[in-house]
Amino acid sequence: MFRDKKVVVVMPAYNAAKTLRQTYDEVMEQGVVDSVIIVDDASRDDTAEIARELPNTKVFTHPSNLGYGGNQKTCYRLALEAGADIVIMVHPDYQYTPKLIPAMASMIGNGLYACVLGSRILGGHSIKGGMPVWKYVANRFLTFAENILLGAKLSEYHTGYRAFSREILNTLPLDQNSDDFVFDNQMLAQILWSGYTIAEVSCPTKYFPEASSINLPRSIKYGFGCLATGLAFRLAKMRLAKSKLFPLDKEKLV
Ligand SMILES: Nc1nc2c(ncn2[C@@H]2O[C@H](COP(=O)(O)OP(=O)(O)OP(=O)(O)O)[C@@H](O)[C@H]2O)c(=O)[nH]1
Ligand SMILES: [Mg+2]
């Protein structure tokens, strides 16, 4: 709990057996998390079996692999059903330290922000932490392009460490988004479309052999998806094209 608010951590999991327990243990050590929801996207390893052994944890298994975005849709639906006031997504591959959970929960719980990101770029140590140089360069380029297209000023759009208020999850048309990795990007664009301010905290980066890491072909697809999202947003703002992702009745004019 943060004050009287229920804090739920969601973990979209796919072949995360090697790192799931360690991530879970550190999440619970923070002392503010009421329960964990793990959605297993038809993993080929023991992710679901390990998840079922964890206390205070709801495990949901997709019958077939839907993808990272499809997984998150289930995560947020279940978190709302569980009565969460503050929802924090932590990847079960132990790349993001759970030690930031209390800080992120308080920024949402105090009513200051409806969305907080753990940024790997802000601290300036992402390459030292093992982020491949090509990922760093792609991240910086896409972030630059998206800041222009979306009219925002974020240090990165590609982190998987995110906290949300209940209200924002109820507001966004998440079902319209992709089931693939670009879901993450579409969600941030929808948050900006709805007029919310996105907060960032710096987060150390960790890359190690057991961690899951998106490969080059999927990264390229993701990169083009991000640019397409930014363009769709800008065209919708200029009233030049309609987009289901960015409905006019949810637009906040500022
Ligand atoms: N549901 C689903 N989840 C996936 C899939 N691939 C990866 N994941 C999960 O999504 C999370 C992020 O995937 P990663 O491959 O680590 O991608 P990333 O963290 O955005 O990129 P890196 O910075 O390179 O690690 C991990 O926790 C995986 O368990 C998939 O095909 N389906
Ligand atoms: Mg990863």
Side-chain angles (χ1 to χ4, degrees):
M1 295 291 261
F2 175 78
R3 305 221 172 116
D4 58 341
K5 299 199 160 57
K6 184 170 180 180
V7 181
V8 173
V9 160
V10 298
M11 295 193 196
Y14 182 62
N15 296 340
K18 286 189 189 133
T19 49
L20 179 59
R21 193 182 297 273
Q22 190 182 10
T23 312
Y24 171 87
D25 285 344
E26 218 172 297
V27 163
M28 295 317 277
E29 268 169 31
Q30 304 314 313
V32 294
V33 176
D34 294 281
S35 65
V36 173
I37 293 172
I38 297 174
V39 178
D40 169 47
D41 203 20
S43 294
R44 281 172 279 114
D45 65 5
D46 293 337
T47 298
E49 287 73 14
I50 293 170
R52 278 190 215 102
E53 288 168 8
L54 304 172
N56 285 329
T57 302
K58 182 178 170 62
V59 184
F60 187 92
T61 304
H62 285 163
S64 61
N65 185 272
L66 287 187
Y68 173 62
N71 193 326
Q72 276 188 72
K73 288 177 191 172
T74 307
C75 284
Y76 300 134
R77 180 174 55 77
L78 294 177
L80 291 174
E81 280 173 22
D85 298 303
I86 300 167
V87 180
I88 305 177
M89 172 169 76
V90 182
H91 285 176
D93 63 356
Y94 200 59
Q95 280 189 298
Y96 299 97
T97 172
K99 288 181 180 161
L100 284 171
I101 288 174
M104 293 166 86
S106 70
M107 288 166 82
I108 306 274
N110 281 325
L112 262 184
Y113 295 103
C115 171
V116 181
L117 305 182
S119 166
R120 300 162 298 178
I121 302 296
L122 266 186
H125 296 291
S126 42
I127 292 181
K128 249 192 227 155
M131 183 185 277
V133 173
W134 68 268
K135 280 200 178 179
Y136 177 80
V137 172
N139 185 320
R140 302 299 288 151
F141 166 74
L142 288 173
T143 298
F144 173 75
E146 288 204 274
N147 273 335
I148 293 171
L149 289 166
L150 302 175
K153 209 167 178 226
L154 294 182
S155 68
E156 72 157 321
Y157 289 81
H158 315 291
T159 172
Y161 199 6
R162 300 160 172 228
F164 304 102
S165 68
R166 178 180 189 83
E167 179 203 303
I168 212 169
L169 293 178
N170 268 326
T171 306
L172 304 177
L174 296 179
D175 284 346
Q176 300 296 336
N177 294 353
S178 162
D179 282 343
D180 204 351
F181 280 98
V182 77
F183 173 94
D184 262 358
N185 212 253
Q186 293 170 328
M187 189 174 182
L188 292 184
Q190 287 172 330
I191 290 171
L192 294 168
W193 180 263
S194 307
Y196 293 101
T197 304
I198 298 174
E200 297 182 275
V201 292
S202 58
C203 170
T205 312
K206 259 184 305 202
Y207 280 78
F208 52 98
E210 289 79 22
S212 153
S213 198
I214 183 170
N215 60 25
L216 182 62
R218 292 191 79 178
S219 294
I220 292 171
K221 186 177 172 215
Y222 170 78
F224 280 108
C226 291
L227 294 175
T229 303
L231 274 175
F233 178 102
R234 185 48 46 202
L235 292 175
K237 267 266 173 235
M238 296 166 83
R239 305 288 189 269
L240 292 175
K242 283 189 176 168
S243 167
K244 280 187 191 157
L245 263 56
F246 308 114
L248 292 177
D249 63 329
K250 299 262 189 220
E251 184 190 24
K252 174 92 185 292
L253 298 166
V254 278

